[in-house]
Amino acid sequence: MLSNFFRLDGTPTTHDEGNAMPSMSPGDEVTNMLFRGTKWGRPRMAIKGVTFRNVSIANMELFKITFTNCHFEDCIFKGSRFHEVEFHKCKFVNCNMWKSKFEQCYLDPLTIHLDERYKVEASNVGVTMYHSLLANYADERQDAFFAIADIEFRRWKRYQLCYEIRKKNIDFLPGHWERFKSWVYDVLAGYGYKPVRLFIFTIIGFLSISVFNHFVIGGDLLVNGERPPSASFVDSIYYSFSILTVLGFSTVVPDGSFAKLLTTFEALAAIGWLAIFTSVLVKRFLR
């Protein structure tokens, strides 16, 4: 990985625009090279099976170039503009795409891998990269890629909050509260893109509350108008799900004061939870 995310390691070879391009046949490696100029390559250029390592293609324009089965490692694309560029079965490892622009491009976001050091020291690289990719995916209607990039963008925004808190650019408590909310939304629902995960958490949560109700207020429930020593576990589940899904009371109702207060609190909390669940479904399927 680069010692400095914005500068190549060692003393790279300089390549000025207009000079002959290095060999890029299948199996070739382009290493330790600093490209300079305004444009890189030529339109309709097809590059296959080439490894780029410790290469800088910063602040340049790439137009109508297709990369296939290429490997990019420790490369710098800072401020570059990709227009109608396609990356098929390529892989990016610790490449700096800070403030790069993508227009009408094809690039699978799952092929991008950044080391933990980026999260700690240069989280803005991930934020700006995924922000630009999001705009490209939205324009090109690449919905699957958009969802992946949106999740990553939000995660990198969370990593950036850590950096801002350390630098004291954001107050400690508000910053960590935002981080916590982002983390919870990510874990529970994948930022709204994982409704099945949220449904599973919902069932687990409701069952946990049913167990809690069974042991805490099981003796304060009326079943079919009668008050047994303790409601059965099935009755407790039936009662809890009736309240949490806002269906209302049925044949099992609370009797004691504490049971009534607890039921009121659970019903109010369930309304908020179901609203979140509904919003996730809407975002996922009606976007």
Side-chain angles (χ1 to χ4, degrees):
M1 186 168 52
L2 296 173
S3 300
N4 185 319
F5 296 134
F6 293 87
R7 186 171 61 243
L8 296 178
D9 288 340
T11 305
T13 301
T14 300
H15 181 282
D16 291 317
E17 183 180 353
N19 294 342
M21 294 288 282
S23 175
M24 287 184 282
S25 300
D28 285 346
E29 289 193 12
V30 179
T31 59
N32 304 318
M33 187 163 291
L34 172 64
F35 289 90
R36 297 190 304 189
T38 59
K39 297 181 182 296
W40 190 92
R42 63 181 187 277
R44 306 190 187 284
M45 189 176 184
I47 302 173
K48 298 181 180 180
V50 177
T51 297
F52 296 83
R53 184 176 289 110
N54 198 48
V55 171
S56 176
I57 310 176
N59 300 308
M60 302 183 75
E61 181 180 4
L62 290 79
F63 179 64
K64 287 189 176 180
I65 300 175
T66 301
F67 296 88
T68 306
N69 290 320
C70 292
H71 182 87
F72 301 86
E73 184 174 352
D74 295 335
C75 296
I76 299 176
F77 298 98
K78 176 178 68 72
S80 290
R81 300 170 300 282
F82 298 86
H83 185 71
E84 294 187 48
V85 178
E86 299 182 12
F87 297 91
H88 298 278
K89 299 179 180 179
C90 295
K91 187 175 182 179
F92 297 84
V93 179
N94 297 325
C95 293
N96 185 344
M97 298 184 186
W98 183 64
K99 289 191 174 181
S100 294
K101 300 296 182 183
F102 299 89
E103 297 177 350
Q104 300 178 0
C105 293
Y106 180 92
L107 194 166
D108 186 347
L110 290 176
T111 63
I112 301 173
H113 307 276
L114 294 176
D115 188 81
E116 292 291 325
R117 256 190 68 203
Y118 274 92
K119 298 178 183 179
V120 177
E121 302 176 18
S123 54
N124 58 330
V125 170
V127 171
T128 59
M129 175 184 65
Y130 283 110
H131 184 268
S132 182
L133 286 172
L134 275 172
N136 174 75
Y137 297 145
D139 292 340
E140 295 300 301
R141 297 303 303 168
Q142 298 171 354
D143 294 337
F145 288 170
F146 182 93
I148 296 169
D150 193 20
I151 291 173
E152 290 300 324
F153 172 71
R154 292 166 184 258
R155 286 174 177 167
W156 282 91
K157 289 283 286 184
R158 189 169 78 232
Y159 306 146
Q160 190 176 36
L161 277 174
C162 294
Y163 176 84
E164 297 294 340
I165 293 170
R166 286 197 307 273
K167 295 296 183 179
K168 297 183 179 180
N169 296 329
I170 299 177
D171 291 337
F172 183 85
L173 288 179
H176 279 291
W177 174 241
E178 289 299 320
R179 283 188 62 241
F180 176 74
K181 290 192 296 183
S182 174
W183 177 80
V184 170
Y185 193 22
D186 186 9
V187 171
L188 293 181
Y191 292 108
Y193 292 100
K194 307 291 184 180
V196 174
R197 182 193 299 177
L198 182 60
F199 176 76
I200 293 172
F201 273 110
T202 299
I203 297 299
I204 293 174
F206 283 14
L207 287 174
S208 299
I209 293 173
S210 299
V211 173
F212 174 81
N213 288 341
H214 177 69
F215 288 104
V216 175
I217 62 173
D220 291 330
L221 297 178
L222 294 179
V223 181
N224 295 321
E226 299 180 357
R227 184 169 183 172
S230 179
S232 68
F233 186 62
V234 173
D235 286 332
S236 295
I237 293 178
Y238 178 59
Y239 165 77
S240 299
F241 272 71
S242 296
I243 298 302
L244 296 172
T245 55
V246 201
L247 293 177
F249 297 128
S250 54
T251 57
V252 185
V253 297
D255 187 34
S257 298
F258 177 73
K260 292 177 180 178
L261 290 174
L262 182 62
T263 297
T264 301
F265 173 79
E266 290 177 356
L268 290 174
I271 292 174
W273 183 265
L274 292 176
I276 294 173
F277 185 79
T278 302
S279 68
V280 168
L281 292 179
V282 171
K283 177 177 180 177
R284 183 65 184 91
F285 296 110
L286 298 181
R287 176 179 172 271

